[in-house]
Amino acid sequence: MRGLPGHERRWTSDTVSSGKDLSGESSPGTDSGNNSGFASEEFVEVILDLQDDDTIILRSVEPATVINIDAPDPTAGVISIDTPASVTSTSETRSPTMRRSTSNKFRQFSQELKAEAVAKAKQFSQELKAELRRFSWSHGHASRAFSPTSFFQNAVVGTGSGVDSALAARALRRQRAQLDRTRSSAHKALRGLKFISNNKTNGWNEVENNFAKLAKDGYLYRSDFAQCIGMKDSKEFALELFDALSRRRRLKVDKISKEELYEYWSQITDQSFDSRLQIFFDMVDKNEDGRIGEEEVKEIIMLSASANKLSRLKEQAEEYAALIMEELDPEGLGYIELWQLETLLLQKDTYLNYSQALSYTSQALSQNLQGLRKRSSIRRMSTKLVYSLQENWKRIWVLALWVLIMIGLFLWKFYQYKQKSAFHVMGYCLLTAKGAAETLKFNMALILLPVCRNTITCLRSTKLSYFVPFDDNINFHKTVAGAIVTGIILHAGNHLVCDFPKLIHANDRNYQKYLMNDFGPSKPQYIDLVKGIEGVTGIIMVILMAIAFTLATRWFRRSLIKFPKPFDRLTGFNAFWYSHHLLVIVYIILIIHGTYLYLVHHWYSKTTWMYLAVPVLLYAGERTLRFFRSGLYTVRLLKVAIYPGNVLTLQMSKPPQFRYKSGQYMFVQCPAVSPFEWHPFSITSAPGDDYLSIHIRQLGDWTQELKRLFSEACEQPEAGKSGLLRADENTKTSLPKLLIDGPYGAPAQDYRKYDVLLLVGLGIGATPFISILKDLLKNIVKMEEQADLVSDFSGNSEMSAATSEQPALNKISPKKRKSTLKTTNAYFYWVTREQGSFDWFKGVMNEVAELDQRGVIEMHNYLTSVYEEGDARSALITMVQALNHAKNGVDIVSGTSVRTHFARPNWRKVFSKTLTKHANARIGVFYCGAPILAKELSKLCKEFNQKGTTKFEFHKEHF
């Protein structure tokens, strides 16, 4: 009989050096010569049994008088407490239920337990007897599963007084902590507390080279230690590490030799967890008394916060130090020891149980294994080909159609001009130039369509979206621009360097025969051809388009190229914006250029205006619509807040006609900054909100000036309100006027068609997904309310089927079915560099965490400024984070109930977990942020799509 489950306990114990007591102090009463001192006291004999599954079974408890502290019989599994008649020998009577010998692990435990029992025997013997009487234990009582540590802990409670009682409680708590240190937790701990995270095999060689560069007179000074060992970014932490290592050598030095540096390096990179833990403890224990107090804990928290750029954590260091002391020093002794710090580190994952990993299912696991099975090279290639066709068929057919049209136009014009007499003089150069010109006219018309945003937004909602990749409109715009560049090179190049020279070098007989009707009776010179209307307009177009295309490239638009003043104005968004409007002049000149042609004389044969008519009118109509609509959409600023990270939040009234979907964006203009510039921003409010909100990060000249204007109008926030500066309708200073235009379609607006969402935002790239999270949350609440309403009607209809409520149920059910959300789960990953970024959407995250009772939305915050988990510089922060959330439900970094992870996510692991949890699902991966991560996520989608039936569809935001 195993007894009550609540008393059952299992443990393993790591090897402990036999020459040292657990607490670091010698236990009283361990000398056998002191046994006589306890002869008059009454004690008990406790017999325990170790089962095969490492469960301790209490067999019997008998009265005894004297404790025999001789070494136990190695074949016995009993802690022997003998009678006075056998003080000098082990009792010969053993419990009949004892039938097996103990393992080495249990013998070690029994020795340690005896030492602790003897040390505290005087203090709790009477209390132990009272406990025995209360539980009415006897020889014949059924066996119970029993935890020795909790048994003796109960005996100590309330025993003694003052410091002695606290010391006794701590000693027994330490014993329990030692037992709870399982092999698995110890193994996990070995990966933690690394002072050098990326410890390479040639690490010492790099340090040695740094020593050679930094050393002066053969010594490395303390101030250069951080740079030498590769901790330049956390110099304060490195200096404390230097001092701790110096104290261990009983030295207080300001410089060390190369040999001493090697000794320091060996200790820093020691693979032993206990060694690293001791070094970390020594950094805190500056007075070397083996104890650290609350003030010392506060100092190391501030040091860690400084190393990880967590300024707010430094401000609350005193509060968190008190929290650690409360957890580790329940006895109130005012200090903690090495083993307590170790306990907190090993129990970190227990505190972090609120962030559960995605569960695995056998079906999904088999799906993963299916992707690992060996396949032939032909099978792999065919699988990749099929996947590429499935993934890109929309792009393929559109591009194929576009290319075929260009080829057709080129060949048509090529053979048309081959029939002209000028071909006999100018040759194939003329045919190539005219064929390229025809594709140019087509592409100059086509390039306007992808930027007709209103038209595309409307078309996205039609069935055309199943065949046309509207999400790639900007990419297609860029692709057409590349074709235009190629066409310009072929057209202008062949004219200027090939057929024009052939024309001017043609003999008079050929000129009179083939070209006189096109160029006049006298043969023109090269300069005549260039300075004519055709030549001048062509050259002007080439120059203007070269400027516009160059400043639109990524290097210029994102200011990746740096120029000295005043040429720095050639880079940035403003340069791109204004240079792109040069294309208005280009289109006017293009029509003129197409009107004056050397070899075409009939107006109906001059087709340039035919190509441009519809696209130009459509684009002009869109710009006119935007102009008048921006005047109709008058907005009133309701709230303005400026947050850390140079982020400006604007909350404004929503015009009645302004209807949008989550994930869409709108354009904003501030006449006080520029009367012409419109900039796109994702809408962060949900469609059901009665206001519009956007978050603007300062990234360029326009946003910088906008923030400056609002900063002047804002004031310090009142108590309890977020933001560094804040303003609302009651602010005395008038707020700048805003104009809005939109909404416009974006890939994220189609999130509803997916079973599962994987939303990834980098920094301010989280904005498109905030609206989606809020919209999802509102739908979840609405569905739950409808489900409750249907449940109420169902209950009433069961009680009275004949009542009039049954028809009401029939009316509600279709509505419920219609509003049922297809999306079952959403996973939001937000990666940012600054702690203050979490203030931007703190309210949204708390609201989602509070109202999402069904667990539909799972949020993960990642802060890259903090060193990855396992680094000694972030170890204490991780402990405080786990402890504070377990006790208060608040993450110390984000200030929300959402846990903040450190460093960058392991995206492969994220995809793997999502795949295993949602087998056979259609997963929409939406990303907004830097292009480099977009490539990684897209590649992972392709890779995991080949492992089974779960499909990842990648979408990236474009503006």
Side-chain angles (χ1 to χ4, degrees), residues 711 713-719 721-727:
S711 297
C714 290
E715 304 169 353
Q716 293 292 333
E718 300 176 6
K721 292 187 177 182
S722 61
L724 302 175
L725 293 172
R726 198 176 181 93

Side-chain angles (χ1 to χ4, degrees), residues 398-469:
V398 170
L399 290 175
L401 178 63
W402 173 58
V403 171
L404 287 174
I405 291 174
M406 287 194 299
I407 293 174
L409 291 172
F410 184 91
L411 293 177
W412 171 55
K413 195 59 63 174
F414 186 92
Y415 285 107
Q416 186 185 70
Y417 271 81
K418 194 174 183 180
Q419 310 304 319
K420 290 183 177 292
S421 58
F423 168 69
H424 297 285
V425 176
M426 298 183 177
Y428 286 98
C429 295
L430 174 65
L431 307 187
T432 305
K434 290 302 181 180
E438 202 68 17
T439 64
L440 269 174
K441 289 185 283 187
F442 169 68
N443 285 326
M444 286 296 289
L446 185 63
I447 199 171
L448 294 174
L449 297 181
V451 291
C452 292
R453 300 178 187 271
N454 288 291
T455 303
I456 290 179
T457 300
C458 293
L459 293 176
R460 291 178 67 96
S461 303
T462 67
K463 292 184 178 180
L464 275 177
S465 61
Y466 293 103
F467 308 100
V468 180

Side-chain angles (χ1 to χ4, degrees), residues 840-856:
W840 306 344
F841 311 116
K842 181 184 293 185
V844 176
M845 289 188 287
N846 282 330
E847 185 181 6
V848 171
E850 179 182 354
L851 298 180
D852 184 19
Q853 301 299 324
R854 294 170 52 200
V856 173

Side-chain angles (χ1 to χ4, degrees), residues 140-152:
H141 199 277
S143 300
R144 301 183 183 185
F146 174 73
S147 169
T149 53
S150 62
F151 172 74
F152 286 110

Side-chain angles (χ1 to χ4, degrees), residues 50-71:
L50 178 66
Q51 302 295 308
D52 290 340
D53 59 356
D54 288 345
T55 301
I56 303 299
I57 304 298
L58 175 65
R59 291 302 181 187
S60 65
V61 181
E62 299 180 5
T65 307
V66 178
I67 297 178
N68 184 355
I69 59 172
D70 292 341

Side-chain angles (χ1 to χ4, degrees), residues 735-800:
L735 297 172
K737 182 183 178 182
L738 285 184
L739 299 176
I740 66 171
D741 176 52
Y744 292 103
Q749 76 178 59
D750 298 325
Y751 76 92
R752 287 172 173 264
K753 67 182 182 180
Y754 293 99
D755 304 317
V756 178
L757 301 179
L758 186 57
L759 311 173
V760 180
L762 259 62
I764 199 63
T767 50
F769 310 127
I770 295 301
S771 179
I772 292 178
L773 293 179
K774 295 173 72 174
D775 193 35
L776 267 177
L777 184 62
K778 290 181 182 295
N779 279 281
I780 291 168
V781 174
K782 184 178 180 181
M783 287 172 60
E784 290 177 348
E785 291 176 351
Q786 290 179 347
D788 293 341
L789 189 59
V790 170
S791 177
D792 292 342
F793 273 108
S794 299
N796 292 333
S797 63
E798 289 176 2
M799 295 174 61
S800 178

Side-chain angles (χ1 to χ4, degrees), residues 508-725:
D508 292 339
R509 186 175 63 86
N510 287 337
Y511 179 82
Q512 294 294 330
K513 182 179 181 180
Y514 298 114
L515 299 175
M516 186 177 66
N517 292 333
D518 298 314
F519 293 95
S522 59
K523 184 172 63 175
Q525 298 297 315
Y526 190 89
I527 189 65
D528 297 328
L529 296 173
V530 172
K531 72 179 183 180
I533 294 178
E534 300 91 334
V536 171
T537 54
I539 292 174
I540 292 175
M541 281 193 297
V542 170
I543 294 173
L544 294 180
M545 292 172 75
I547 294 172
F549 286 5
T550 300
L551 298 184
T553 58
R554 178 173 174 267
W555 298 280
F556 283 86
R557 183 177 180 179
R558 298 187 178 276
S559 300
L560 299 180
I561 296 177
K562 303 297 182 182
F563 291 114
K565 292 183 177 181
F567 301 103
D568 59 335
R569 294 183 175 273
L570 294 175
T571 62
F573 186 86
N574 285 347
F576 156 76
W577 176 262
Y578 289 112
S579 65
H580 239 56
H581 283 78
L582 292 174
L583 296 177
V584 175
I585 303 174
V586 169
Y587 277 96
I588 296 173
I589 296 176
L590 178 59
I591 294 175
I592 298 173
H593 181 80
T595 304
Y596 292 87
L597 298 179
Y598 290 115
L599 304 178
V600 180
H601 306 291
H602 301 291
W603 69 270
Y604 53 82
S605 298
K606 300 175 182 180
T607 57
T608 303
W609 66 273
M610 299 181 187
Y611 282 99
L612 298 180
V614 174
V616 168
L617 288 175
L618 181 63
Y619 184 76
E622 287 230 352
R623 296 304 296 260
T624 305
L625 174 64
R626 289 182 59 178
F627 175 79
F628 286 106
R629 189 170 58 183
S630 63
L632 292 175
Y633 285 168
T634 56
V635 294
R636 185 179 74 260
L637 284 170
L638 305 177
K639 185 179 71 174
V640 178
I642 298 177
Y643 289 104
N646 291 321
V647 169
L648 171 67
T649 300
L650 301 177
Q651 190 178 108
M652 62 201 77
S653 59
K654 183 167 70 172
Q657 310 93 333
F658 195 93
R659 296 180 178 88
Y660 64 97
K661 298 178 181 178
S662 291
Q664 292 186 331
Y665 65 95
M666 66 182 183
F667 280 86
V668 176
Q669 184 198 67
C670 182
V673 177
S674 171
F676 306 108
E677 293 183 46
W678 290 84
H679 293 260
F681 298 100
S682 296
I683 304 173
T684 53
S685 54
D689 293 335
D690 57 357
Y691 61 88
L692 289 174
S693 66
I694 56 174
H695 288 66
I696 303 173
R697 184 163 192 180
Q698 178 183 322
L699 293 174
D701 297 339
W702 189 87
T703 52
Q704 184 177 359
E705 182 64 17
L706 186 71
K707 182 197 169 187
R708 186 191 67 78
L709 283 176
F710 279 98
S711 297
E712 294 175 353
C714 290
E715 304 169 353
Q716 293 292 333
E718 300 176 6
K721 292 187 177 182
S722 61
L724 302 175
L725 293 172

Side-chain angles (χ1 to χ4, degrees), residues 286 300 319 350 356-357 366 388 506 591 605 705 756 886 895 955:
K286 295 183 179 181
I300 195 64
E319 175 186 343
T350 303
Q356 297 292 334
S366 64
S388 296
I591 294 175
S605 298
E705 182 64 17
V756 178
H955 303 274

